[in-house]
Amino acid sequence: AFKDRLLDYLRQEFSSMLARQKEISGGTRDLDRRLQALAAPPERGDEQRAQMLAGGENELAKRMQSVIEIVLEDGTTVVFPQILEDVKKDMEAAGARLAKIDAGPGTQLIQVEIERALAEILQAIQEAQKKPSPPQPPQPGNPRASAGPLLPSSTELRMIRDMEARVRDGTKAVDIALLTYIHVRSAS
């Protein structure tokens, strides 16, 4: 059925995106360590590496946009496209920071959140593949909707809760970083 093929495609795409994000995140950590070790401004090779990592994040954002368009075309889920949009924005933000040769903790935090979100999305898709949703009556204008929603409502609700937890955790991390910065500044 169409829904099964779509879920297979999404599972493969998110698995690939998560693997690529982990590579980019690892490169960002390596670049940050190198930049921390330098007492001078970044060298040309460091700038090129940052641009390459930024390009990787931007490529992931483009892939995410394609997935968003497919999910919107399916039209059977409300929350899922918004969650994907938020992850895409994080990818773009990480790419913009890397383009400015910022591989520091802020960029790395964004990347950790991207990885976490992709893993949660992948888990939700795998769960949806295990338990098929009940078929819905045919809807005029969207024959695919008769196969039922792409993701069960309970899965979408859990995704909202997971997104809220990511926002809360990110806010706590920013608060801690700000307090540390203030403490370091006041001590010197």
Side-chain angles (χ1 to χ4, degrees):
F2 174 78
K3 177 183 166 188
D4 295 330
R5 287 192 312 270
L6 179 56
L7 286 170
D8 279 339
Y9 165 77
L10 292 173
R11 182 182 43 77
Q12 291 170 4
E13 190 65 12
F14 286 116
S15 292
S16 172
M17 285 176 154
L18 180 57
R20 180 68 179 122
Q21 181 61 55
K22 287 180 178 183
E23 291 172 9
I24 295 168
S25 298
T28 301
R29 286 188 301 273
D30 293 344
L31 178 61
D32 186 45
R33 280 191 291 273
R34 170 143 169 76
L35 293 173
Q36 293 297 323
L38 287 176
E43 296 175 358
R44 180 75 182 130
D46 300 322
E47 292 174 6
Q48 290 172 337
R49 179 77 176 139
Q51 295 309 315
M52 186 182 79
L53 293 167
E57 289 288 5
N58 292 329
E59 184 57 38
L60 282 177
K62 288 178 188 171
R63 286 174 64 185
M64 184 63 81
Q65 182 59 43
S66 296
V67 170
I68 291 168
E69 290 169 10
I70 290 168
V71 170
L72 286 171
E73 184 179 319
D74 174 63
T76 63
T77 179
V78 178
V79 175
F80 195 40
Q82 184 56 52
I83 290 171
L84 300 180
E85 186 67 38
D86 289 345
V87 176
K88 182 186 90 164
K89 287 177 184 175
D90 284 346
M91 291 169 172
E92 292 169 340
R97 292 176 73 108
L98 286 164
K100 296 175 186 174
I101 316 170
D102 178 358
T107 302
Q108 291 176 45
L109 177 63
I110 293 169
Q111 290 176 323
V112 166
E113 292 304 317
I114 293 168
E115 288 179 25
R116 185 173 160 188
L118 289 172
E120 290 166 358
I121 291 166
L122 191 54
Q123 180 183 1
I125 290 169
Q126 290 167 338
E127 288 175 11
Q129 287 180 306
K130 288 178 186 171
K131 55 178 180 180
S133 57
Q136 306 291 316
Q139 296 179 2
N142 190 359
R144 295 178 191 154
S146 64
L150 185 61
L151 298 175
S153 298
S154 60
T155 300
E156 286 201 82
L157 289 172
R158 193 187 78 245
M159 291 177 80
I160 292 171
R161 191 180 64 240
D162 292 345
M163 183 177 65
E164 289 172 344
R166 285 192 306 275
V167 169
R168 184 185 62 245
D169 293 348
T171 302
K172 284 179 184 177
V174 169
D175 286 346
I176 290 168
L178 181 59
L179 290 172
T180 302
Y181 175 76
I182 291 169
H183 178 72
V184 168
R185 295 281 296 181
S186 64
S188 51

